[in-house]
Amino acid sequence: MKKIFLFFLSFSLFVYAETRRGFPVSVELISGAKQNAELVGAAGDALFLGGFVADTFTVVKILKSRVANLRDSSGNAIVLAEVDSLFTKNDSAHTDSILKENVPSDSLPDSSANISSIDSTANDSATAPQIEQINLSNKALVFPALRRPIDSALAERIRILQLQTLHEKGLSPIAVSTNDFPQCKNSPCIAQEAESRNAHSVWTLEIQPAKHQDSLDLFLHQFLIQNKSQTTAKLTLSAKNATTELLSADRFVHWMEKALGIYQEPVREKSTKSFIYVETDPEGANLSRKGEDVICQTPCAFAIEDTGKVELEAFWDVENTLWANKATIRPIPGDTAKINLRLKRVKPEVEIHSVPAGAQIYEAEEITPHSRPIGKTPKILTTRTPGPAELHLWREGFRDTVIQFRVSATSKTIVEVQLDTLQSKQELESQAVFQQIQKRIFWGHLSLGVSIAPAVAGGILLYIAEKDRDKARDIRDELKMPSSGGGEHFQKLVDKNHRYADRSKTERYVGTGLLIFAGGLLAAGIVLSF
């Protein structure tokens, strides 16, 4: 009974639509006066506006030339030249009846005669003794939409699509209106008449402004006459792009299927997403999956789709010391797993192997003759920076190779590289030139280094020579004293003086020679290195 009541309630709205006066508008005259009213009709160069005066609905005629601005209840501008198109044939007949009830006959425009003649013809047809009835047997009766005049175009598009879709679904749709039931004045009568003529179902549509601004609510009702059951499908569209939204993503088809009661929700796969929450001691550690980028800093949580084992690493670098730890967990779909890691001091290692071995390892991205290797393969390097790393390998007769890898904070990282042999003559010649420059720079650096030793030795010898020379002078001054006299002691002083003088002379020669040699090595080193 509830469904039948809802059907008659919604269907009565369509019957009530035949007795409505007009739709609300806001009118601004050229004089500047503004007024809210109901637009009940338009004829030629005149508008018919209605409103209540002393509890009586009164309609007045206003020339279009006196209207400066006309807007509907939503604030949308209505073009005066197109006002006539807002009213269908039924709207015109309805307007005529309102005008006859509320406007004196002498105030109607000349065109009112045409309106009256249409209404008169309709009344004559309604009272005719014999009316040819259309065949409604097993038909789906599609009635016009209950809507505002501004939504007439949308309603007509939906009606066309509705008829076509019902036909494709195997039904026999037919477009009807209340005029096809002239003997009925209410919806129960129309429903009873449709049942007596063996109709299959009755379809009605309501287009209403939605609660949200610039949106429309569409209610599609299907009443099955055989079992007197009703289904209603609701659809909300934006008023601006109603047609585009209606036809996108099969929304119209799904809407029709819901009204038909045959819509099936798509089967959605059960989500396998789970969450992992990680805390560390101390906090603020970088958290990552093994071999991947940092996800977050602890404490933190992240989502994961995997259902297998997940290896996590947390590391914290502070005061030139690296602290880290790892854990393995198997997440449960739809659940949150919690882990607490206590960090410990670590020294990550990277073990590099090349085939063939003996390749020079460089930290620089690009090798130049001045680049210095940090070792040769195989080599174990220690680092304090987990994450992405890059090294450059070089070996005579093989192509330069840049290796990129990720350093694990909690385990040794092993990198193995197969070097490619140089094939082209140009590459071999280029590498030979590179080696010559590299060897020249090597010998230049060696000369610079070696020059330090003779320079230091020469400087020391010159210093000692100066000391010995001072001692020889002191002895000579002592020998010149009158008290020195002769004898054995005097002779010893003379010999000592000669010894210091000769040694000082030799030390000066050798020291000077060493400085000259050091200068030569320095000059050669500078030339070779630069």
Side-chain angles (χ1 to χ4, degrees), residues 319-338:
E319 296 181 357
N320 297 324
T321 303
L322 186 67
W323 301 76
N325 206 341
K326 64 180 179 178
T328 301
I329 185 172
R330 186 186 295 273
I332 301 174
D335 198 1
T336 300
K338 294 183 179 180

Side-chain angles (χ1 to χ4, degrees), residues 148-254:
R148 301 174 299 174
I150 196 172
D151 299 321
S152 299
L154 175 63
E156 187 60 27
R157 295 189 194 103
I158 294 177
R159 195 180 190 192
I160 295 172
L161 291 171
Q162 185 181 359
L163 291 168
Q164 180 64 29
T165 303
L166 291 174
H167 178 73
E168 293 176 356
K169 296 295 182 181
L171 300 178
S172 300
I174 183 173
V176 296
S177 68
T178 55
N179 293 333
D180 294 312
F181 302 87
Q183 69 277 16
C184 293
K185 301 300 182 182
N186 53 48
S187 56
C189 176
I190 293 177
Q192 186 176 1
E193 178 68 17
E195 182 178 4
S196 65
R197 294 164 66 177
N198 298 321
H200 173 269
S201 57
V202 175
W203 290 79
T204 57
L205 172 66
E206 298 175 67
I207 303 178
Q208 303 174 359
K211 292 182 180 180
H212 300 286
Q213 189 176 6
D214 299 330
S215 296
L216 298 174
D217 283 338
L218 281 64
F219 298 91
L220 183 59
H221 308 283
Q222 179 200 204
F223 180 74
L224 288 173
I225 294 176
Q226 184 176 2
N227 57 11
K228 294 182 173 56
S229 63
Q230 178 181 334
T231 56
T232 299
K234 179 183 177 182
L235 185 63
T236 301
L237 305 172
S238 68
K240 185 177 180 181
N241 302 311
T243 302
T244 302
E245 292 184 9
L246 183 68
L247 299 177
S248 64
D250 294 331
R251 295 186 70 183
F252 177 78
V253 175
H254 294 163

Side-chain angles (χ1 to χ4, degrees), residues 276 278 284-288 293-302 313:
I276 299 177
V278 181
N286 294 314
L287 181 68
S288 66
D293 294 331
V294 173
I295 300 173
C296 58
Q297 287 189 329
T298 60
C300 62
F302 61 95
E313 286 186 343

Side-chain angles (χ1 to χ4, degrees), residues 20-23 25 38-43 46-49 70 78 82-95 98 147 149-150 152:
R20 70 188 188 282
R21 293 188 176 91
F23 60 95
V25 294
E38 292 187 27
L39 179 61
V40 298
L47 300 177
F48 293 95
L49 302 174
L70 185 65
I78 301 176
E82 299 178 358
V83 171
D84 295 356
S85 64
L86 297 178
F87 296 91
T88 62
K89 181 177 180 181
N90 293 336
D91 292 332
S92 300
H94 158 68
T95 301
I98 294 177
R147 75 305 185 266
I150 196 172
S152 299

Side-chain angles (χ1 to χ4, degrees), residues 362-373:
Y362 295 86
E363 290 182 320
E365 181 178 350
E366 183 177 353
I367 300 176
T368 66
H370 293 279
S371 300
R372 299 188 66 179

Side-chain angles (χ1 to χ4, degrees), residues 423-435:
Q423 300 293 338
S424 67
K425 182 179 179 181
Q426 184 178 0
E427 289 178 328
L428 291 170
E429 291 177 351
S430 177
Q431 191 179 76
V433 172
F434 177 84
Q435 284 184 283

